[in-house]
Every structure is written in structure tokens, then in C-alpha cells.
Amino acid sequence: MQDLTKAMIELIRRTSTDLPGDVVKRLQAALDKEEPGSAAHGALETILKNIELARENSTPICQDTGTPIFYVHYPEGWSTRRLKQQIRDAMEEATRLAYMRPNAVDAVYDRNSGNNLGGDDFPYIHFEEVDADQPLTIELMLKGGGCENVGAQYSLPNNELGAGRDLKGVRKVALDAVHKAQGNGCAPGVLGIAIGGDRGSSYYASKEVFFQKMDADSQDPTLARLEQQLTDEANQMGIGPMGFGGKSTVLGTKITGLHRLPASYFVSVSYMCWAYRRRKMTVSGDEIAYD
Amino acid sequence: MREITIPISAETIRDLHVGEAVRLTGVMMTGRDTVHKWMIETFIRKTRQPEGDDLKVYEAIRPILQDGIIYHCGPVVAGLENKAYRFTAAGPTTSIREEPYQAEVMSHFNSRGVIGKGGMGPKTLAGCREAPFVYLHAIGGAASYIAQSVKRVLEVYKLDFGVPEAMWVIEVKDFPAVVTMDAHGQSLHAVVSEQSKKVLEKLIQD
């Protein structure tokens, strides 16, 4: 089996220092909507300058290099045990090279491991087998703590918000989550919403949607409409970049549906900060491509 | 744009108002969750006994914080292996987690400013008026950009808290921030929160 450690370090470097083009495009569009001279406009200008600098200097876009979340799709025959070891070795080296901040803290004894490795679950790695003729793909998302902290899960019905067990109710709780987040999730952000599932699967699904491109609307026309509506309505709240007030609070919304128990109706809202870091590497034979 | 030199006088602080953009030059110190808890428990509310180098560190940071600034930041630091420390990414972290501690910490050390992101609550706002001090908002996530205004790392205390949680004493030049809570009881965060709440209530009424 190939040793992909070096290629994985490059994946981590790119993810931490080079924001994807589709996200930058949305941020530029957001800048154009804000009043020149306003705090919101200034914040977006700084954000765009920072993105450029980070790319040029190969330094982290954000000092919170986040929870590393890997999704690996491997063709039959690859060893997930070895891939996992290579990912962990790459993470340790990328931390030494200051592409990543040491971010794994033992929650019981309050000790930072110093190398971004912690127990079996940090970094988080999800493996999925694909057909033998498919390439190996490794996707990485870095999700910062500020935006992770403003994520929310609702169990419907929610009487306080008058939210019932239907898409109208989903809309209400999602808008509530945006209001509660204010600027703390580093607005303008992106919403990832999962409807259904149990508490665990629902939260995972609400993050998985962040691997999709910004302009990939839901295939389901009902959900695609709700995505657009939520983005528009969230922006009407005027929270704005950094919570300074302004027109851009949310850059986009992604929604997915899961099956649920008759008794449960969970809505999980994950918030992704503007530093929406995700990259993918594809391995076909000896060739390695990044996007 | 207002140029401000650290240490800062109380008079300068009272002259600052919500919405003003500032550029800071001088020496400041990072401190976030673990540091605030450590300060409160060991030296302010005194619920735990000082141990190890606690007292030595306390004496060392007092003059830095007198009329100085605490920056809510957990940086990415290069040069850890040979102690040739250099900040490569150093944006602000979310400040609201320090709401239970901030006002007491500022008053204990006679500090004049706190830099962070997201703003803070009523307890800190009351402290701003009394002390006085201001809350300065840096641009969240703009870490490579802000790191350029960090010219030198002068010292690090409590590195055993971990790189993000340690106290990094840094020399900055033209560090960019916006006043979002002032010493006159004004908070941009309270205003935006209230206004957006009204819109939310309208949106979710049936």
C-alpha cells in the first residue's frame, strides 16, 4: 500500500491556509452588498485581505485550526488501519510545521496533548468503502470552536417558539439558532441543517453537508426552496459580519433529511464560520490531485 | 482612525466611543479561558492556594496589565522547538466565555482594554463604566492578517497550560480593532441583539 503521509500533510496545509474559491466568491458578493465605510464593510475587507495573505504566506487562515474531520472513501483492498495511522502521522507533522495549532485537550485532566492527537477520536476519521474501480478520496474539514459552540439542536415541538413537527417548525428553530449565535460564530456563516435522525446521527449529518460546494442546492426541490428562504430571512435579521450589524449574516444554507423515530423530531443546526475550510484529495494510482 | 499607545490612560479610555476604529501600539498580553479562571481562583477570589510558579508569574504580569490590554487569543506559534517564538496566526477568540470573570480581572489589574470577538454581556459592560475600560473587537478569523501586527514575542508564561491557553506577552504595532463596548454604558452588541430579536419575532409569528 502507498504511503500517503506526505500528500496528507499537503492536504492539511491547503485546508488550513487556502480557502476554497466558492466560499471566497460568496464573501466578495457579501462585501459588495455592504455600505462602504461601515463596520460590516471594513470587517469583510479585512477578511478578504486575510484570505489572500494566508494563501501567499502559507499560514493558517484562522488561529483556531479547528476540529479536523476526515471523510475517507476507499476502494476495496486499502487498509483503513494503515490509512488512519498515516493521517495521524500527517496531523502530528502538520502541527509541528505550524499549519495546525495544537488543539486536542484532555477534557478530564485539562491537558493539551501538544500534537493534535487525542485518544482514538481526535482527529475524527470516517471511513466508507467504495467500488474497487473508484479512486481513493480523502476530504478534510477544519471546523473552529467558535462556530461549533453556537450550533444547536431542537426537539420539536418547541412551544416557546411555536414550532411544530413540520418544515414550518424547522424554519422557526433555524432562525432562532441564527439569532442566538449573533456574531459569535464568526458571521457571515453557512448553516448546515439536519432534520430527523437521533441526537447523534442528526448532528453528524448537519456537518456532513458542509462537504458540498456552496452552489450545490439540495436535489429535493422542497428543501432547496427552504434553503433559499432561510438564507434570505436570516439576512433580514441584520446581525451582519462579526455581529456588527449589516446585510450579510448567512452566506448559504444546506439542509438534509433523515429518517426519525415516530416519537422524535430533532432539528440540528450546525454553523460554519466564514473561514469555511474544506479540501479534498483524490488518489488514482500514482496520481494525486487536490481540489 | 485613532492611534492608541499602550499603556493607556483612563482619560483616553473615557474619550473612546462605540463604533470608533483604533490602531494599537505597545505591549499587550494574551489570556483566555484557563488564564481567567487561574487569575480569579488564585489571586482574586482566592479559592485555591498559589502553587509552583504562580506567585512569580503574578508579579511578572502585573506591570504588563497595569493600564494595559488583555487579548482573548490562542495563537498559532512557530519556533516552539528552539524558543524562537513567532506568531503566524493570531485572531481573537469568542469573549463571552469570560463574562463571569472579566470585570473582576480588569478591576484587579487596573487594565484598560480587552480585545476579543463577539462582545460581552451586562456584567462586563458595567465594569467598563466603573474601571474604566473598553471592549475592542478584532476581526474573528483574520488571523494571518492580525499576526502581521505582532512584531515580537517578548515572553511566555504558563506554557504548561498549552500553546492556546498560555500568556503570551507581545509587542504590537498598529493592531486593528473597533470599539464595540465603551465606558459610557454603550454596547453595539446589545443594540444588534435587540434589533435582530424584533425581526426574528416578526418572522416567526404565525
Side-chain angles (χ1 to χ4, degrees):
Chain A
M1 197 183 105
Q2 275 165 272
D3 183 357
L4 294 170
T5 312
K6 272 198 181 140
M8 288 167 178
I9 296 169
E10 176 60 9
L11 174 69
I12 298 167
R13 186 194 71 79
R14 286 182 189 230
T15 313
S16 178
T17 67
D18 190 358
L19 206 67
D22 59 330
V23 181
V24 179
K25 226 167 100 183
R26 293 272 168 130
L27 286 165
Q28 274 157 348
L31 175 72
D32 294 340
K33 281 186 206 137
E34 300 293 350
E35 201 75 43
S38 65
H41 194 268
L44 284 163
E45 273 183 330
T46 303
I47 284 169
L48 287 160
K49 262 188 238 165
N50 179 66
I51 291 166
E52 221 171 286
L53 259 178
R55 182 185 298 126
E56 279 169 15
N57 299 342
S58 215
T59 49
I61 294 163
C62 178
Q63 79 290 336
D64 184 358
T65 54
T67 305
I69 303 169
F70 287 91
Y71 270 61
V72 181
H73 288 84
Y74 65 99
E76 204 179 322
W78 286 76
S79 158
T80 57
R81 184 174 47 84
R82 281 191 208 160
L83 280 168
K84 183 173 179 180
Q85 191 54 51
Q86 290 175 14
I87 288 174
R88 290 175 69 91
D89 290 347
M91 188 48 70
E92 196 169 3
E93 182 59 13
T95 307
R96 210 186 56 75
L97 293 167
Y99 299 138
M100 296 291 291
R101 182 178 74 180
N103 244 6
V105 181
D106 182 311
V108 178
Y109 297 103
D110 213 24
R111 299 291 300 181
N112 191 314
S113 71
N115 61 1
N116 259 317
L117 302 181
D120 212 32
D121 305 307
F122 202 110
Y124 178 79
I125 310 170
H126 174 86
F127 286 104
E128 195 87 41
E129 189 174 307
V130 294
D131 285 343
D133 61 351
Q134 293 293 305
L136 168 78
T137 61
I138 304 178
E139 288 171 283
L140 169 60
M141 180 195 310
L142 298 175
K143 192 167 186 299
C147 68
E148 184 68 4
N149 286 350
V150 300
Q153 191 170 65
Y154 297 83
S155 174
L156 300 191
N158 179 307
N159 294 333
E160 200 190 319
L161 296 166
R165 297 180 139 204
D166 52 27
L167 295 183
K168 280 186 191 161
V170 172
R171 170 183 162 270
K172 287 183 181 180
V173 296
L175 291 172
D176 181 62
V178 174
H179 176 261
K180 286 212 172 86
Q182 290 291 306
N184 285 318
C186 276
V190 178
L191 303 177
I193 300 172
I195 308 167
D198 65 14
R199 287 191 184 273
S201 63
S202 180
Y203 257 134
Y204 274 122
S206 71
K207 286 191 203 177
E208 273 169 25
V209 294
F210 293 133
F211 280 120
Q212 298 163 16
K213 296 273 188 216
M214 288 286 323
D215 50 11
D217 295 339
S218 174
Q219 299 286 307
D220 180 326
T222 307
L223 293 184
R225 265 197 306 278
L226 186 56
E227 287 176 346
Q228 191 55 53
Q229 184 184 5
L230 277 173
T231 300
D232 293 343
E233 290 179 338
N235 286 330
Q236 286 173 29
M237 275 193 264
I239 294 164
M242 290 297 126
F244 287 170
K247 297 191 179 75
S248 329
T249 303
V250 162
L251 299 171
T253 304
K254 307 221 165 272
I255 308 176
T256 187
L258 303 169
H259 284 70
R260 60 177 178 85
L261 293 184
S264 302
Y265 197 115
F266 293 111
V267 181
S268 300
V269 184
S270 280
Y271 194 104
M272 177 59 93
C273 58
W274 67 259
Y276 179 177
R277 290 154 287 175
R278 57 156 152 69
R279 289 277 166 188
K280 179 181 185 178
M281 70 183 251
T282 306
V283 183
S284 327
D286 289 337
E287 254 177 58
I288 296 169
Y290 299 92
D291 71 353
Chain B
M1 187 71 61
R2 187 85 173 255
E3 313 259 342
I4 289 178
T5 314
I6 314 163
I8 313 171
S9 70
E11 195 190 351
T12 304
I13 291 300
R14 286 203 187 90
D15 201 32
L16 288 172
H17 293 89
V18 161
E20 249 178 287
V22 298
R23 289 279 185 275
L24 304 156
T25 298
V27 174
M28 62 168 80
M29 191 185 95
T30 69
R32 46 180 291 170
D33 309 70
T34 307
V35 167
H36 282 75
K37 192 164 177 282
W38 170 80
M39 286 170 166
I40 288 281
E41 290 179 351
T42 321
F43 305 107
I44 301 173
R45 295 183 201 157
K46 296 184 175 156
T47 53
R48 77 177 266 276
Q49 288 294 316
E51 52 186 63
D53 65 351
D54 283 351
L55 284 167
K56 217 175 108 192
V57 172
Y58 176 69
E59 289 307 326
I61 63 172
R62 272 177 58 194
I64 299 162
L65 294 178
Q66 173 73 40
D67 297 316
I69 285 184
I70 297 180
Y71 180 21
H72 294 160
C73 169
V76 179
V77 184
L80 288 168
E81 278 153 356
N82 53 3
K83 297 191 178 176
Y85 303 125
R86 193 167 44 82
F87 278 22
T88 60
T93 191
T94 308
S95 299
I96 194 69
R97 296 191 304 269
E98 315 317 332
E99 179 66 8
Y101 312 129
Q102 202 66 56
E104 279 173 80
V105 165
M106 301 303 278
S107 134
H108 181 85
F109 288 100
N110 280 313
S111 300
R112 295 285 164 250
V114 50
I115 308 175
K117 75 172 172 84
M120 300 187 76
K123 200 176 157 191
T124 304
L125 189 61
C128 283
R129 196 203 284 260
E130 282 158 31
F133 69 92
V134 288
Y135 180 84
L136 300 156
H137 202 298
I139 303 302
S144 282
Y145 179 75
I146 293 171
Q148 290 209 321
S149 62
V150 179
K151 297 302 168 194
R152 272 198 306 158
V153 176
L154 302 177
E155 190 60 76
V156 57
Y157 298 108
K158 293 284 184 190
L159 194 50
D160 54 320
F161 286 172
V163 170
E165 298 281 359
M167 286 170 270
W168 296 90
V169 182
I170 51 175
E171 188 183 307
V172 303
K173 189 170 185 316
D174 297 329
F175 184 109
V178 180
V179 180
T180 55
M181 292 165 67
D182 64 23
H184 308 282
Q186 297 303 307
S187 164
L188 174 66
H189 307 287
V191 172
V192 172
S193 173
E194 203 42 55
Q195 284 174 350
S196 55
K197 189 161 193 217
K198 279 186 196 138
V199 180
L200 173 72
E201 278 166 0
K202 219 169 148 194
L203 283 170
I204 68 173
Q205 72 189 8
D206 276 319

